[in-house]
Amino acid sequence: MDKFKVIGYCSSSLPSSAQNQNPSQELVVLLEVEGVLMDAYCLGNRQAFNLAFQKLGLDCANWTEPVYSDLVRRSAGYEERMLVLYFNWIGWPVFWQIGWPTSLPTSEKEPFVKNVLREKKNALHELMLKSLPLRPGIEEFIDDACDKGIPVIILTSYSKSGEKIARSIVEKLGHERLSKIKIVGSEEVEKSLYSQLMFGKAMSSSLDEQLAKEARKAASAEKQRIAKEVASMLKVSVDIDTSSAEILEKIVAALRAGAEITGIPVYNCILIAGSRPGVAGAEQIGMPRVVLRSSFTSRAEFPSANAIMDGFRGADLTISKLCEKPWS
């Protein structure tokens, strides 16, 4: 099967004016950070768990690659569930009280899991900032887009690791490369016309406030509908809270802001996504979406993606292929 499988969108569905546009002039590439710029889960997630175990003195806990992969599969990627499954299997930690071993009480298991996840998050962030590299080929991919005059937008506002970490990852691209691209973070999203109209931030009069209130009611109902659709679609979950309407709302706002910055219609913007939520958000607004598989999504299905790729360069994702495909 051709890796570059186009699943939807045909040029006949576009207005005639859009069909005649020059792809290199009317194409925008939007990039997520995690899973696209960096495959942190491939290179660092398991290592981060083991570092957290060491810091907490859990000498009995050590996740080899087979153990980690099995836990990811059985838990559908939910990290809390991964820890519960693991410690249910090997036994929960034993603590010493007055010289006698005492098993961890049931009431203490949830705080214990949260503590491990907190330490794991800190360890992963340190790895991402200091030692984990960018995905092979991403720099050449961005350079090729810039050379062809194709705007590149990097989305940091809804990164799973937080915007601060996401921006630090983006900085690994180098100053010269960063000067040629745009970054859409929380500030850029909040300033966008879409966000101001959608969330009532530009309204001042009582009439405008009432209109904004009604718009938010309609948006809330739409969010619930989207959440139900996404939840029913996700037979295999690969992200925490993938069906959350709030997350979809945040993603849609970021995608809209990215398109707004370039002045290009959303149907001529292509999202390179590393997660289900990003794909769902792009689908919601009719933006073409290409999934770049990572270790965390290697076995997941993306039925609404226009294409699914394994990486950059060669037979995988290139700017030339994006320009050749009839995305809209």
Side-chain angles (χ1 to χ4, degrees):
M1 184 181 69
D2 183 7
K3 284 186 177 180
F4 208 98
K5 181 181 179 183
V6 179
I7 302 172
Y9 284 85
C10 60
S11 58
S12 61
S13 64
L14 269 186
S16 58
S17 59
Q19 295 181 39
N20 298 325
Q21 291 168 344
N22 187 327
S24 65
Q25 294 179 347
E26 293 296 335
L27 184 69
V28 176
V29 175
L30 288 81
L31 302 171
E32 292 189 338
V33 176
E34 291 167 331
V36 177
L37 264 65
M38 178 181 287
D39 190 353
Y41 283 89
C42 173
L43 301 172
N45 206 50
R46 181 177 65 87
Q47 184 180 352
F49 268 112
N50 287 333
L51 289 172
F53 296 149
Q54 293 174 17
K55 186 170 183 179
L56 295 172
L58 300 172
D59 298 332
C60 62
N62 181 61
W63 288 0
T64 62
E65 184 61 43
V67 169
Y68 176 75
S69 299
D70 183 60
L71 289 171
V72 170
R73 179 185 60 80
R74 293 170 60 196
S75 67
Y78 284 81
E79 295 185 341
E80 294 93 337
R81 182 62 179 161
M82 289 169 66
L83 289 169
V84 171
L85 286 170
Y86 180 71
F87 285 108
N88 280 344
W89 173 43
I90 69 164
W92 290 83
V94 173
F95 295 91
W96 291 82
Q97 292 184 356
I98 319 178
W100 292 93
T102 303
S103 297
L104 188 69
T106 301
S107 61
E108 295 296 323
K109 289 182 179 179
E110 183 177 350
F112 168 79
V113 167
K114 290 183 177 180
N115 191 33
V116 173
L117 289 177
R118 182 166 53 250
E119 292 297 337
K120 174 261 173 183
K121 182 178 180 180
N122 293 336
L124 181 60
H125 288 175
E126 287 294 319
L127 290 170
M128 292 167 73
L129 294 176
K130 295 181 179 179
S131 61
L132 298 185
L134 297 173
R135 286 191 71 153
I138 179 61
E139 290 141 316
E140 293 91 331
F141 179 83
I142 292 175
D143 291 343
D144 193 19
C146 293
D147 290 343
K148 288 181 169 62
I150 297 174
V152 175
I153 306 291
I154 297 182
L155 307 167
T156 63
S157 63
Y158 62 87
S159 176
K160 187 176 180 181
S161 294
E163 187 168 353
K164 183 178 179 180
I165 296 295
R167 285 185 176 269
S168 297
I169 293 173
V170 173
E171 289 175 1
K172 290 176 179 283
L173 291 169
H175 178 74
E176 182 179 354
R177 197 170 284 110
L178 288 175
S179 67
K180 301 177 183 178
I181 64 179
K182 298 288 185 181
I183 299 175
V184 173
S186 299
E187 183 177 352
E188 289 76 15
V189 172
E190 289 175 3
K191 290 181 178 179
S192 70
L193 179 61
Y194 173 82
S195 290
Q196 293 184 41
L197 293 177
M198 185 66 177
F199 306 113
K201 294 180 179 179
M203 308 298 185
S204 57
S205 67
S206 58
L207 176 59
D208 286 341
E209 289 173 358
Q210 183 62 34
L211 289 173
K213 183 178 180 181
E214 294 302 319
R216 285 193 292 270
K217 287 182 179 179
S220 178
E222 180 67 3
K223 285 188 294 181
Q224 291 184 16
R225 183 188 67 79
I226 295 171
K228 290 179 180 179
E229 290 180 357
V230 175
S232 63
M233 182 181 69
L234 303 187
K235 296 181 180 179
V236 179
S237 176
V238 295
D239 283 303
I240 296 175
D241 292 330
T242 53
S243 61
S244 167
E246 288 74 19
I247 291 177
L248 280 177
E249 180 183 86
K250 192 173 184 178
I251 292 171
V252 166
L255 298 178
R256 290 283 190 186
E260 184 180 314
I261 286 174
T262 62
I264 302 298
V266 294
Y267 53 72
N268 277 354
C269 299
I270 301 177
L271 174 68
I272 311 301
S275 65
R276 280 187 184 274
V279 174
E283 181 187 19
Q284 175 65 23
I285 61 175
M287 179 181 289
R289 51 255 170 222
V290 175
V291 170
L292 198 66
R293 287 195 185 277
S294 66
S295 58
F296 199 50
T297 59
S298 61
R299 296 184 179 181
E301 296 182 0
F302 295 87
S304 65
N306 298 91
I308 299 174
M309 306 297 291
D310 293 323
F312 295 101
R313 298 174 177 165
D316 290 305
L317 182 60
T318 64
I319 288 297
S320 296
K321 288 181 178 178
L322 289 183
C323 293
E324 292 170 359
K325 297 296 178 179
W327 297 106
S328 303

